[in-house]
């Protein structure tokens, strides 16, 4: 087995000697875990200043006292039967837990649960009634008007609306070791996502932000078998995933004066039920030839959607189209072959070929059309179907020149064929790079990598361009592009206690043939970390990072106006420092500080005159202190304090109230901001032989 | 009929033999010096290596005496299953690590040697695509990410994994703090929710065959197919989104209306210039620019199943 592994890894050193007679290896000093061990942590967490901004994914979204409860434990018997559980943050909306039972070397069964809260905005308000349902109405006192400024009942009818949803995932996993070569595995995952999102509904030129009901369920089954021995490995997997949305539409009252008779309400389609079925085969074969490993994969699948259509509009007499559903059917295919070889001890070669196909077999439908539930429009239109396939060839070779220098070259060739109804027939991307890894001193390693890439496009199909679209705009996923890039990484273990690492990157993209649309993108990144661990009981770190991203795009409105240009310049910083220290054997102190600002500047120019936007920015400052006292061998007291301040500015939201924009009845949500103090005091007790000794 | 060219065949054979010999020769040289195993296995090791941090191994899956696939199962080589034969090391009373394989990014053993020890057992499951992976090409040792003796390996826990990954992928560390981000910083998502670090046949070591398949494994409401599709959505989510983080809402690369105008500049409102005069203080607050920008009306940017959803407004 180890010989196979050596080949697979491309190693060229000796096999280990023949396995010894281990009958005398009693492992008498081995402290194998037996019986029950575990710990429970109970306490309280007091939050001050918490809101949706802080609670976005933590679930700590208001100022109150939360139960801080976690527990973990495991049981192992002498015959190898074992069970375990792990419960975390039970008092928070971000709680998670798992429980497992198994027999060593035979089977494992595990149950997982995870709750992911998403809190987006608690600063919005809306006059719509029925948030969370598929039917939004307006209060009886509502006064419709041609613009938001005329909606005289708006002030008295606004009610807070929270944009938030929860994703709860429960899964059951099992694996059974059928023999030394065969393992069977299966997983069932049930995911619920419910709450309120944010979407909009409009009547031609007038719109309103709406609370979107979210009531999704996704069930996923994955089952398969894996086989492996010293000759090869193989995995067969079936995946089935069913998405179900119990609310298929959102009907909303028109808060504006109807533009046409009967246009008093609108209706949006919500995500339709869909299902995905996929069969996959993957594995590898170590070849006894130049230390080569062959990896292969193939999968075939289909994506289907056949939700019944809504009527064309809410207008009286509107009908449901024929056929009454899409019968959508997309075929997915994936084939891959990869080869990794060490033809010489100092030479490693890798190559792979991949094909991905997304083939939309749905019959294109030609349908009538009603503009925003208001105006029946011109001749029927055919819904385009989009297919594409990608063939990717990649290769690289690395050669170790001596103990200090390793060099490599590589490249990639990607051909993307687009199906009918798309603007081009295909794009071709090529990329070439060179790499050098330098080890000038023991513990010091630098890797430099640079290269370039280009994309060409062929077969422009003018007839696929929508009638009103400007033919001078190249959508950037099609547009010919040149790229140059360079990466440098380094790490240095200066002493046994001090390590330093650094990473730098730049990339320039130029869309050389695009007369309008995206013109260029520049990206710069630099990061560094210094870690110091003078002894086991003391450690400290400093880290910092910077990113710059800018993109430039050109636009043209018409012959009577000047060309315009938009530049988006973004800067991100992060600086962190902290450490941990064990004092007087029983006290452990941890301290972390983080400062992470970001800036985003949109500079516009029209006719050569600069018109910059106010700067969008965010600033995150966080201090975290952890103090632990090891009371006894099994008991620990933990005090945690977190101060976090987040502030931000966004010109798209700043000062935008429900009636600020004449033709948009907005929620008036404001940029995220919070200043939170968290204090948690918990008591932790450990049971059984796994109790850790005092630090 | 093709004429054979014996000199070419002989030359190719000679080259092949030379290449193979070059690859095998050092191995043979080392074989003669291959050290022996210890006399008592783990009991030989634990006599000296009794540090509690090392002994935490016995709380992990690697130390299960009833699992015959593991190092401590029946007939297993115990510590030496991973660290290699320790006979000489024991005889030298630990003064020299002869034959011992140590682990980590700064270990004496080269990464390929370290990884061969791991792959000897893990080839069939987590690492069956390892040989072709970018991490293998970059000679990343398994122990650069995995902490084997710890009771809880940080890279295997959702809450702590990102910290491990971003110790090398430092630019992604900065991404964690961007205004719009996936919940990695909050410990509710791991890098491995999207990436397969041991190897993948998809791009960027993604868990799915494509970017879109990876994203829709969680965001299944966007899978479609919709009656009215938005071409870049069906093609690749990363046309508009930067999954690692963004200064713009919803992980967008830039914000509407400018993002949309990188592809759409048709006659009428799609091509108009949106400048700061459309801000609340600019005299003409604009729905093209403020709140959701284009999605104030074209709210169904991911596709619409409404018969009248051609312009993604229903």
């Amino acid at each position: 087995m180890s010989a196979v592994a050596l080949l697979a890894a491309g190693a060229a050193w000796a096999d280990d000697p023949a396995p010894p007679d281990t009958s005398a290896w009693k492992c008498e000093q081995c402290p194998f875990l037996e019986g029950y061990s575990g710990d429970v942590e109970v306490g309280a967490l007091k939050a001050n200043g918490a809101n949706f901004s802080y609670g976005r994914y933590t679930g700590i979204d208001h100022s109150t006292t939360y139960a801080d409860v976690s527990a973990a434990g495991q049981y192992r018997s002498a015959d190898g039967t074992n069970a375990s559980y792990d419960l975390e943050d039970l008092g928070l909306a971000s709680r998670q837990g798992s429980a497992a039972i198994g027999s060593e070397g035979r089977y494992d069964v595990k149950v997982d649960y995870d709750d992911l809260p998403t809190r987006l905005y608690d600063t919005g308000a809306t006059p719509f009634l029925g948030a969370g349902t598929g039917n939004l109405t307006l209060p009886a006192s509502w006064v419709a008007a041609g613009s938001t400024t005329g909606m005289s009942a708006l002030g008295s009818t606004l009610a807070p609306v929270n944009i938030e949803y929860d994703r709860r995932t429960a899964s059951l996993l099992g694996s059974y070791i059928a023999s030394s070569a065969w393992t069977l595995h299966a997983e069932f995952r049930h995911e619920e996502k419910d709450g309120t999102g944010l979407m909009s509904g409009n009547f031609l030129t007038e719109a309103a932000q709406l609370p979107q009901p979210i009531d999704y369920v996704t069930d996923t089954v994955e089952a398969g078998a894996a086989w492996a021995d010293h000759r090869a490995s193989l995995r067969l997997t079936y995946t089935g995933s069913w998405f179900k949305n119990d609310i298929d539409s959102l009907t909303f009252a028109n808060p504006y004066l109807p533009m046409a008779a009967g246009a008093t309400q609108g209706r949006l389609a919500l995500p339709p039920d869909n299902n995905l079925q996929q069969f996959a085969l993957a594995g590898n074969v170590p070849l006894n030839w130049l230390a080569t490993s062959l990896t292969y994969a193939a999968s075939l699948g289909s994506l289907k959607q056949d939700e019944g259509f809504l009527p064309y509009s809410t207008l009286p007499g509107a009908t449901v189209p024929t056929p009454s559903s899409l019968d959508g059917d997309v075929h997915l295919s994936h084939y891959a072959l990869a080869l990794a070889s060490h033809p010489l001890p100092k030479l490693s070669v890798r190559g792979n070929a991949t094909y991905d196909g997304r083939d939309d077999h749905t019959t294109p439908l030609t349908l009538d059309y009603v503009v925003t539930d208001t105006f029946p429009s011109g001749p029927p239109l055919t819904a385009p179907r989009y297919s594409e396939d990608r063939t990717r060839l990649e290769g690289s070779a690395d050669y170790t020149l001596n103990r200090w220098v390793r060099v490599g070259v590589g490249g990639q060739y990607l051909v993307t064929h687009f199906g009918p109804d798309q603007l081009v027939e295909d794009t071709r991307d090529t990329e070439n790079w060179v790499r050098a890894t330098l080890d000038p001193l023991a513990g010091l390693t630098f890797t430099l990598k640079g290269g370039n890439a280009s994309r060409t496009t062929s077969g422009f199909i003018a007839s696929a361009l929508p009638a009103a679209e400007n033919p001078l705009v190249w959508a950037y996923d099609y547009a010919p592009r040149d790229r140059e890039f360079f990466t440098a990484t380094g790490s240095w273990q200066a002493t046994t206690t001090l390590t330093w690492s650094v990473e730098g990157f730049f990339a320039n993209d130029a869309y050389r043939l695009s007369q309008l649309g995206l013109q260029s993108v520049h990206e710069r990144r630099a990061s560094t970390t210094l870690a110091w661990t003078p002894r086991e009981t003391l450690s400290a770190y400093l880290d910092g990072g910077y990113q710059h991203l800018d993109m430039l795009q050109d636009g043209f409105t018409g012959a009577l106006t000047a060309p315009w240009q938009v530049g988006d310049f973004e800067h991100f910083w992060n600086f962190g420092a902290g450490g941990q220290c064990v004092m007087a054997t029983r006290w452990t102190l941890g301290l972390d500080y983080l400062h992470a600002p970001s800036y985003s500047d949109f500079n516009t120019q029209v006719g050569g005159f600069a018109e910059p936007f106010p700067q969008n920015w965010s600033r995150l400052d966080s201090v975290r202190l952890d103090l632990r006292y090891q009371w006894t061998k099994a008991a620990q007291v933990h005090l945690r304090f977190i101060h976090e301040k987040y502030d931000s500015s966004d010109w798209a939201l700043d000062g935008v109230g429900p009636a600020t924009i004449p033709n948009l009845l907005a929620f008036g949500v404001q940029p995220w901001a919070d200043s939170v103090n968290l204090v948690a005091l918990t008591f932790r007790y450990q049971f059984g032989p796994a109790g850790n000794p005092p630090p | 009929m093709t004429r054979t060219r014996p000199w070419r065949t002989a030359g190719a054979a000679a080259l092949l033999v030379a290449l193979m010999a070059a690859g095998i020769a050092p191995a043979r040289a080392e074989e003669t010096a291959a050290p022996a195993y210890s006399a008592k296995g783990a009991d030989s090791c634990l006599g000296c290596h009794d540090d509690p941090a090392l002994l935490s191994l016995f709380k992990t899956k690697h130390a299960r005496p009833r699992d015959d696939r593991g190092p401590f199962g029946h007939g297993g080589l115990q510590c030496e299953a991973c660290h290699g034969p320790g006979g000489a090391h024991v005889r030298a009373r630990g003064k020299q690590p002869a034959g011992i394989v140590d682990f980590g990014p700064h270990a004496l053993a080269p990464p390929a040697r370290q990884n061969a020890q791991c792959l000897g057992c893990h080839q069939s499951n987590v690492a069956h695509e390892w040989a072709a992976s970018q991490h293998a090409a970059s000679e990343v040792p398994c122990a650069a990410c995995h902490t084997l003796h710890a009771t809880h390996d940080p890279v295997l826990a959702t809450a702590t994994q990102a910290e491990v990954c971003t110790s090398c992928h430092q630019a992604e560390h900065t991404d964690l703090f961007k205004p719009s981000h996936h919940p990695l910083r909050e410990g509710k998502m791991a890098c491995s929710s999207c990436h397969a670090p041991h190897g993948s046949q998809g791009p960027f070591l993604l868990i799915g065959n494509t970017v879109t398949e990876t994203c829709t494994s969680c965001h299944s409401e966007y899978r479609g197919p919709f009656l009215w599709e938005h071409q870049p959505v069906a093609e690749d989510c990363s046309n508009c989104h930067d999954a690692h983080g963004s200064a713009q809402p919803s992980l967008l690369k830039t914000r509407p209306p400018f993002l949309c105008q990188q592809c759409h500049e048709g006659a009428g409102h799609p091509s108009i210039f949106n400048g700061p005069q459309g801000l609340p203080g600019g005299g003409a607050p604009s729905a093209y620019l403020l709140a959701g920008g284009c999605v104030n009306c074209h709210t169904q940017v991911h596709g619409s199943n409404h018969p009248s959803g051609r312009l993604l407004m229903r």
Side-chain angles (χ1 to χ4, degrees), chain A residues 1 5-6 12-13 16-17 20 25 27-31 56-57 76 78 94 104-105 114-115 167 177 193 199-200 202 207 218 228 233 235 241 243 267-269 272 274 278 284 295 297 299 303 305 310 312 321 334 336 338 340 344-345 350 358 367 369-370 372-373 381 383 385 390 406 422 468-470 473 476-478 493 501 503 518 525 527-529 547 551 553-557 564 568 570 574 598 600 602 611 613-614 616 618 644 646 650-652 663 690 692, chain B residues 19-20 22-23 27 30-31 35 37-39 41 43 46 58-59 63-67 69 72 75 77-78 80 85 106 112-113 116 120 123-124 128-129 131-132 136-137 139 168-171 173-175 177-179 181 183 185-186 188 201 209-210 213 218 220-221 223-229 231 234-235 239 247-248 254-255 258 261-267 271-277 279 285 287 289-291 295-297 299-300 305-308 310 313-314:
Chain A
M1 193 75 167
L6 293 178
W13 51 81
D16 289 338
W25 291 20
C27 219
E28 288 168 341
Q29 297 184 53
C30 299
R56 192 161 19 148
Y57 298 125
R76 300 167 78 86
S94 56
E104 290 176 10
D114 180 65
D115 199 341
R167 184 191 295 261
I177 299 156
K193 183 175 169 185
M199 68 189 309
S200 300
N202 74 317
T218 305
S233 73
R235 284 175 75 86
S241 179
F243 168 78
R267 183 160 48 213
L268 291 152
N274 66 60
Q278 208 159 30
N284 79 346
T295 305
S299 78
L303 183 55
Q305 189 272 108
L310 299 169
Y312 281 109
H334 172 81
L344 295 171
R350 285 177 169 76
R358 182 189 189 278
L367 303 168
Y369 180 61
V370 176
T372 61
D373 293 296
L381 296 164
R385 309 310 313 169
R390 298 183 181 90
R406 185 168 182 249
Q422 302 200 58
E469 199 59 87
N470 190 329
V473 177
Y476 57 79
D477 51 331
Y478 297 139
Q493 187 167 27
S501 60
E503 182 179 15
L518 189 61
R525 298 177 190 170
S527 311
T528 188
T529 303
Q547 288 188 25
M551 57 181 73
Q553 66 186 92
D554 286 347
F556 181 66
T557 306
W564 51 267
D568 174 6
E570 300 178 4
N574 68 286
S598 76
S600 176
F602 285 88
E611 296 188 17
F613 280 76
N616 284 347
S618 70
E644 188 162 309
Y646 185 86
D650 184 332
W651 49 249
N663 61 341
N692 289 322
Chain B
L19 291 175
M20 292 178 74
E30 279 190 33
E31 265 176 20
Y37 285 90
S38 66
D43 288 334
L46 298 176
F58 289 95
K59 298 171 190 169
R64 290 186 165 182
R66 299 290 169 185
D67 188 350
R69 301 167 307 158
F72 287 85
L77 297 177
Q78 301 176 0
E80 291 158 271
H106 298 290
R113 175 64 171 137
Q123 184 74 15
S124 62
H128 71 281
E129 288 175 323
E139 296 200 330
C168 289
H169 299 280
Q170 294 188 49
H173 185 66
T174 303
D175 291 335
F177 312 115
K178 289 181 175 176
H181 60 269
R185 178 177 171 244
E186 291 79 4
K188 294 299 292 178
Q201 297 290 352
N209 294 327
T210 64
E213 276 186 54
C218 285
S220 47
E221 65 268 35
R223 271 196 307 229
F226 296 95
L227 168 59
W228 297 98
E229 300 245 281
Q231 186 274 334
E235 182 195 350
N239 281 328
Q248 314 305 339
T254 186
R255 67 173 52 214
F258 310 122
Q261 289 180 314
Q262 289 181 358
C263 294
H264 301 288
E265 289 198 34
S271 66
I272 66 166
F273 169 67
N274 291 286
Q277 69 277 4
L279 299 178
L289 194 64
L290 301 173
V295 297
N296 287 328
C297 293
T299 195
Q300 307 276 32
N305 210 49
H306 194 293
S308 296
R310 180 176 73 92
M313 295 193 290
R314 281 293 183 268

Side-chain angles (χ1 to χ4, degrees), chain B residues 157-200:
Chain B
T158 301
T160 50
Q161 188 186 79
E163 199 176 316
V164 178
C165 300
T166 59
S167 65
C168 289
H169 299 280
Q170 294 188 49
E172 281 70 22
H173 185 66
T174 303
D175 291 335
L176 298 177
F177 312 115
K178 289 181 175 176
S180 181
H181 60 269
H182 276 113
L184 280 89
R185 178 177 171 244
E186 291 79 4
K188 294 299 292 178
M189 189 175 168
C191 304
S192 62
S193 302
C194 301
H195 296 281
H198 298 121
S200 153

Side-chain angles (χ1 to χ4, degrees), chain A residues 132-149:
Chain A
T133 73
N135 189 25
L136 299 175
T137 58
L138 288 163
S141 59
W142 184 253
V143 178
S147 76
T148 55
T149 50

Side-chain angles (χ1 to χ4, degrees), chain A residues 151-210:
Chain A
M151 295 172 179
S152 55
L154 180 60
S156 61
T157 54
L158 280 176
V161 59
N162 287 344
I163 307 304
E164 58 176 326
Y165 46 86
D166 287 272
R167 184 191 295 261
R168 285 179 287 272
T169 307
S171 53
L172 174 66
L173 307 84
S175 67
Y176 175 69
I177 299 156
S179 70
S180 61
W182 282 97
T183 304
L184 308 177
H185 60 91
E187 176 179 358
F188 171 70
R189 190 167 63 250
H190 175 77
E191 181 185 291
E192 294 178 1
K193 183 175 169 185
D194 62 62
T196 303
L198 192 162
M199 68 189 309
S200 300
N202 74 317
F203 297 90
L204 201 60
T205 59
E206 298 162 343
Q209 290 190 320
L210 307 170

Side-chain angles (χ1 to χ4, degrees), chain A residues 211-518:
Chain A
Q212 177 192 357
I214 295 176
D215 188 7
Y216 305 156
V217 173
T218 305
D219 288 319
T220 303
V221 172
E222 189 176 308
W227 173 86
D229 75 357
H230 65 282
R231 291 165 295 181
S233 73
L234 171 72
R235 284 175 75 86
L236 282 165
T237 309
Y238 161 76
T239 303
S241 179
W242 294 264
F243 168 78
K244 186 166 169 44
N245 180 8
D246 277 344
I247 304 175
D248 65 354
S249 66
L250 177 61
T251 304
F252 55 99
N254 186 353
Y256 297 89
L257 291 171
M259 292 182 178
T264 56
Q265 60 178 7
R267 183 160 48 213
L268 291 152
L270 296 180
D273 296 358
N274 66 60
N275 71 80
L276 169 74
Q277 314 287 326
Q278 208 159 30
F279 290 91
L281 164 73
N284 79 346
V285 184
L287 304 174
N288 286 323
W289 177 73
L290 300 179
T292 299
S293 176
L294 177 70
T295 305
Y296 58 90
S299 78
L300 292 172
S302 74
L303 183 55
K304 292 181 185 289
Q305 189 272 108
D306 201 24
E307 178 87 35
F309 287 141
L310 299 169
Y312 281 109
S313 77
T314 54
L315 293 173
T319 58
V320 172
T322 304
S324 61
S325 63
L326 179 65
D327 195 14
D329 184 13
V330 174
H331 294 192
L332 304 169
S333 53
H334 172 81
Y335 306 99
L337 201 61
L339 210 60
S341 179
H342 279 248
L344 295 171
K346 293 181 175 182
L347 177 65
S348 64
V349 180
R350 285 177 169 76
N352 66 64
T354 311
Y355 172 87
D356 277 294
R358 182 189 189 278
D359 196 2
D360 193 335
H361 283 240
T362 309
T363 304
L365 297 184
T366 301
L367 303 168
D368 291 329
Y369 180 61
V370 176
V371 179
T372 61
D373 293 296
T374 308
F375 304 110
S377 190
L381 296 164
T382 302
R385 309 310 313 169
Y386 301 119
S387 299
E388 68 269 331
D389 63 72
R390 298 183 181 90
T391 305
R392 185 192 308 267
L393 303 172
E394 282 181 283
S396 68
D398 288 275
Y399 188 79
T400 305
L401 285 174
N402 53 48
R403 57 178 293 195
W404 301 288
V405 183
R406 185 168 182 249
V407 294
V409 295
Q412 175 183 285
Y413 181 61
L414 168 67
V415 182
T416 307
H417 291 291
F418 295 94
D421 297 328
Q422 302 200 58
L423 284 170
V424 297
E425 287 179 358
D426 60 53
T427 59
R428 291 166 194 272
D429 289 83
T430 57
E431 179 183 304
N432 308 291
W433 53 262
V434 295
R435 174 169 62 193
T437 301
L438 313 171
D439 294 284
L441 298 169
L444 177 63
T445 302
F446 279 102
T447 299
L448 309 171
K449 181 181 176 182
N452 60 55
S454 70
R455 180 200 293 154
T456 59
T457 300
S458 64
F460 183 75
I461 302 167
S463 61
L465 195 70
E469 199 59 87
N470 190 329
L472 298 178
V473 177
W474 281 88
Y476 57 79
D477 51 331
Y478 297 139
R481 180 186 68 189
D482 289 330
R483 164 174 287 187
E484 55 187 14
F485 59 91
F486 180 78
T487 308
T489 60
S491 71
W492 185 30
Q493 187 167 27
T495 67
T496 54
T497 62
L498 188 67
T499 58
W500 172 67
S501 60
V502 62
E503 182 179 15
F505 170 81
F506 87 74
N508 294 331
D509 288 359
Y511 293 81
R512 55 191 155 81
L513 296 182
S514 298
Q515 295 183 52
L516 295 175
L518 189 61

